[in-house]
Amino acid sequence: MEEQSYRLITAYFEKTISDEGLTQLREWIEESPANLAQFSETIQILEASKAYTAQPLNQQKSWAGIQQYINQPLKAKNTRILRYKWLAAAAILLAVCTTTLAWYKHMLNAFTSIEYAEVKSVNGRHTKVYLPDSSVVYLSGGSKIKFAKGFDGKTRNVQLNGEAFFDVVHQAKPFIVNSGKISTVVLGTSFNVKAYSSQQKVTVTVNSGKVGVLATVNGKRKLVKYLTPDEQIEINTLNGLYAFGQTDAHAVSGWINNDLSFYNTALKDIAQSIEHHYGVHIDFTDPEQGHVKLTTKFDNVSLKQVMQTLSELSGLAYTQKGNQFFFTNTNQKGGSIMR
């Protein structure tokens, strides 16, 4: 009943659960202590996601609106009425400005006192990073993360551009991975995030635990999907469309051990993964060549073996010039006049 139980818990949290569903949920919880613990942890993740969603995104915009209101000219039609209106408005603005000024000072102090660390991993290299809370991040080639050195705030925030596998230490303080407008919220779990800004999509895959995936839409955060082990979501950051379903999470994160798996994946996307993993550059003499979809797996093999296998599966030939590769039609050789 695992999948059904998650649906019932989510419906319970969102207060949309039916009487029948509530009865089913109660019976399931009473079956074992493990179910009760699972219920509690799931509610914690949903609460963390909701709390993160409730945080204001653009306080500067609010302050700009107040300034605009203050600076607008007064019309001298009825001085007495305007005077009382102004006094009332001034009282309101004084309260708002006092709160805003306090927030501004707090944020100024926070930004000036917080020290950030940034770690980059070049193409062809993996980097293991230990975070301030003892969580571990495996950073893929061509990726970088940025995080506060102390994790002293209400959340543990990490900025990611690229691909990384996170093994997060469990805490009540939410752990948040930000990749553009997509955020991944957890308390303690292991998961993979692939979010190269150049590819304009974000893929989140859960190995263990529970993960909330949020998106910023029209200036507001919303929970897109709640993921459990061996579930994956892929979000197109250009149009906001997403797809989700079951997957082999262990295979997805296998790149940590130099094992690469691709299922019904476009050759151009496979090529990008090869570039990051082996530190090479791959081009297609005809862009249409990159649209062919392949299913294959490479278990810690050499670059030469990878290229030969891709060539055989796709029916394309390839040419190598140093660390540059060119896919071409059969019996052709490729190159570039720009290099």
Side-chain angles (χ1 to χ4, degrees):
M1 184 186 168
E2 181 129 343
E3 185 177 349
Q4 174 68 4
S5 65
Y6 289 133
R7 285 201 295 265
L8 290 173
I9 295 171
T10 303
Y12 171 82
F13 179 80
E14 296 175 347
K15 299 180 181 179
T16 59
I17 193 168
S18 64
D19 291 340
E20 181 184 357
L22 188 59
T23 300
Q24 292 177 356
L25 179 60
R26 185 177 64 250
E27 291 175 350
W28 176 78
I29 291 174
E30 292 174 351
E31 283 179 4
S32 69
N35 288 352
L36 177 59
Q38 185 171 305
F39 170 80
S40 177
E41 185 175 354
T42 304
I43 291 296
Q44 279 185 297
I45 285 291
L46 291 171
E47 286 178 343
S49 300
K50 184 177 180 180
Y52 181 60
T53 303
Q55 293 178 11
L57 286 175
N58 198 346
Q59 291 93 340
Q60 288 88 345
K61 185 177 180 180
S62 301
W63 174 242
I66 293 171
Q67 286 183 313
Q68 184 179 5
Y69 184 84
I70 293 173
N71 294 332
Q72 66 182 1
L74 291 173
K75 295 180 180 179
K77 288 184 177 179
N78 189 324
T79 306
R80 186 174 181 180
I81 293 176
L82 286 176
R83 184 184 303 117
Y84 284 121
K85 285 184 177 180
W86 170 247
L87 289 174
I92 296 172
L93 286 173
L94 179 61
V96 174
C97 291
T98 301
T99 303
T100 305
L101 182 60
W103 168 84
Y104 179 78
K105 288 181 177 178
H106 169 74
M107 294 303 294
L108 182 62
N109 292 334
F111 283 125
T112 54
S113 62
I114 294 177
E115 291 186 42
Y116 289 88
E118 185 173 275
V119 181
K120 296 181 180 180
S121 186
V122 297
N123 281 336
R125 180 181 175 184
H126 299 161
T127 304
K128 188 176 182 179
V129 184
Y130 291 93
L131 298 179
D133 62 347
S134 298
S135 296
V136 180
V137 181
Y138 297 87
L139 202 57
S140 182
S143 305
K144 65 178 180 180
I145 57 171
K146 183 179 180 180
F147 55 91
K149 289 184 177 181
F151 274 174
D152 296 326
K154 294 182 179 180
T155 59
R156 297 172 285 169
N157 280 283
V158 175
Q159 300 284 341
L160 169 68
N161 182 2
E163 183 171 16
F165 179 81
F166 296 85
D167 191 358
V168 179
V169 172
H170 191 284
Q171 291 183 7
K173 182 189 297 187
F175 185 101
I176 303 166
V177 179
N178 297 293
S179 305
K181 293 185 177 181
I182 306 301
S183 301
T184 307
V185 183
V186 307
L187 295 179
T189 181
S190 58
F191 59 100
N192 194 88
V193 179
K194 187 174 184 179
Y196 289 97
S197 57
S198 59
Q199 296 181 9
Q200 298 174 326
K201 64 181 177 181
V202 175
T203 304
V204 181
T205 311
V206 180
N207 288 58
S208 65
K210 304 159 187 68
V211 170
V213 179
L214 292 81
T216 301
V217 181
N218 297 326
K220 296 181 179 179
R221 296 190 185 96
K222 60 176 291 186
L223 180 64
V224 179
K225 188 67 180 172
Y226 178 76
L227 302 177
T228 56
D230 285 324
E231 287 189 334
Q232 181 184 80
I233 186 169
E234 182 175 285
I235 303 173
N236 185 317
T237 56
L238 280 179
N239 56 28
L241 298 177
Y242 67 89
F244 64 91
Q246 295 288 320
T247 191
D248 183 350
H250 181 74
V252 172
S253 59
W255 58 266
I256 298 172
N257 299 312
N258 299 313
D259 298 334
L260 304 178
S261 297
F262 304 98
Y263 176 75
N264 197 32
T265 305
L267 182 56
K268 63 182 181 64
D269 293 331
I270 296 177
Q272 289 176 334
S273 294
I274 300 304
E275 289 179 333
H276 295 310
H277 191 78
Y278 290 94
V280 297
H281 186 78
I282 301 175
D283 276 314
F284 296 88
T285 56
D286 181 350
E288 291 297 320
Q289 296 164 346
H291 294 164
V292 60
K293 293 189 174 182
L294 305 176
T295 297
T296 187
K297 183 177 182 180
F298 304 107
D299 293 336
N300 197 20
V301 300
S302 67
L303 175 61
K304 182 177 180 180
Q305 289 176 285
V306 169
M307 295 303 295
Q308 287 178 344
T309 300
L310 292 179
S311 176
E312 292 170 1
L313 292 175
S314 64
L316 298 172
Y318 73 89
T319 303
Q320 179 180 2
K321 294 185 177 180
N323 69 338
Q324 299 177 18
F325 290 82
F326 303 90
F327 274 109
T328 63
N329 292 321
T330 308
N331 300 322
Q332 291 183 336
K333 291 186 178 181
S336 174
I337 61 173
M338 305 301 293
R339 300 168 192 248

